[in-house]
Amino acid sequence: MKAYVALGSNIQPRVSYLNKAIQLLANHDKIQVTHQSPIYETDPVGFVEQGQFLNMVLEIETELEPTILLDVCQRIERKLGRRREIRWGPRTIDLDILIYDQVEMETDRLVLPHPRLQERAFVLIPLADIRPYLYITYFDQTISELLTTLPVQDKEGVVRWRQTNGVRESKPFEN
């Protein structure tokens, strides 16, 4: 099955946490990372009194059932020092299953597709980089169509990121 997983980090070293999480997913014998989006630097959402995030999306192939994939993601978060102290607060790493094939489910632990997918530019923009025409049955729209419904100000807080050498760890991506 194809699944899409969002990664986010706003505790230094942010890019290192993203890379370690990708490696840990890729090392799992029932997960194959097939595509990864560029990294974006994004403004925090919800609890805004914190540093900017680095966000990206992975496309994976997996034999794991959705809740087992969630267990794997949460183990990776714990291994990389994630603590859940403030809702939407600072974190070393956050792994969210956005889409799992076209599965629709709602349990205490997991809702698919992700319940705020259509509201989050920091998820839709990187997802559109790898699968703009991915049709989501639940929304009856493609990722590109969902992205067009977001307010412009939400999209302005999502800037393509690249690593630089020198004083700053990152700067906005330039075409």
Side-chain angles (χ1 to χ4, degrees):
M1 297 285 188
K2 255 189 219 314
Y4 297 86
V5 178
L7 288 76
S9 175
N10 75 334
I11 294 177
Q12 296 295 350
R14 299 176 302 173
V15 74
S16 178
Y17 285 120
L18 294 178
N19 289 330
K20 287 176 186 174
I22 294 167
Q23 191 62 51
L24 289 167
L25 282 167
N27 286 346
H28 193 284
D29 62 346
K30 296 192 190 281
I31 297 173
Q32 179 184 2
V33 176
T34 53
H35 289 93
Q36 68 183 58
S37 75
I39 297 172
Y40 287 84
E41 190 162 46
T42 64
D43 294 333
V45 172
F47 179 69
V48 296
E49 298 299 319
Q50 60 182 318
Q52 288 192 304
F53 280 82
L54 291 184
N55 290 99
M56 66 185 304
V57 171
L58 302 177
E59 177 187 86
I60 65 170
E61 292 275 348
T62 185
E63 300 171 28
L64 301 174
E65 293 298 318
T67 54
I68 303 302
L69 178 59
L70 177 63
D71 291 340
V72 170
C73 289
Q74 290 178 339
R75 272 196 304 275
I76 291 170
E77 288 177 341
R78 284 190 301 275
K79 182 173 183 142
L80 296 180
R82 168 85 190 262
R83 286 199 233 26
R84 296 175 187 270
E85 296 168 345
I86 301 171
R87 184 173 179 163
W88 296 321
R91 65 209 63 172
T92 55
I93 193 70
D94 186 26
L95 299 172
D96 286 330
I97 303 169
L98 303 173
I99 302 162
Y100 184 98
D101 200 36
Q102 291 292 337
V103 170
E104 294 177 22
M105 68 183 289
E106 187 169 343
T107 70
D108 291 344
R109 294 187 61 225
L110 182 61
V111 177
L112 292 172
H114 191 282
R116 289 173 296 284
L117 168 69
Q118 75 282 7
E119 304 167 4
R120 303 273 171 90
F122 66 85
V123 167
L124 288 174
I125 290 171
L127 187 50
D129 280 336
I130 56 177
R131 290 289 176 252
Y133 303 110
L134 176 65
Y135 178 78
I136 309 299
T137 308
Y138 182 83
F139 296 112
D140 191 26
Q141 291 184 308
T142 65
I143 297 303
S144 291
E145 290 168 334
L146 288 170
L147 191 52
T148 64
T149 66
L150 288 180
V152 171
Q153 65 269 21
D154 289 2
K155 297 176 200 174
E156 289 172 347
V158 180
V159 179
R160 192 117 170 232
W161 178 90
R162 69 173 179 178
Q163 190 155 2
T164 59
N165 296 324
V167 178
R168 293 184 65 209
E169 179 186 309
S170 67
K171 68 178 182 180
F173 178 79
E174 298 165 3
N175 289 325

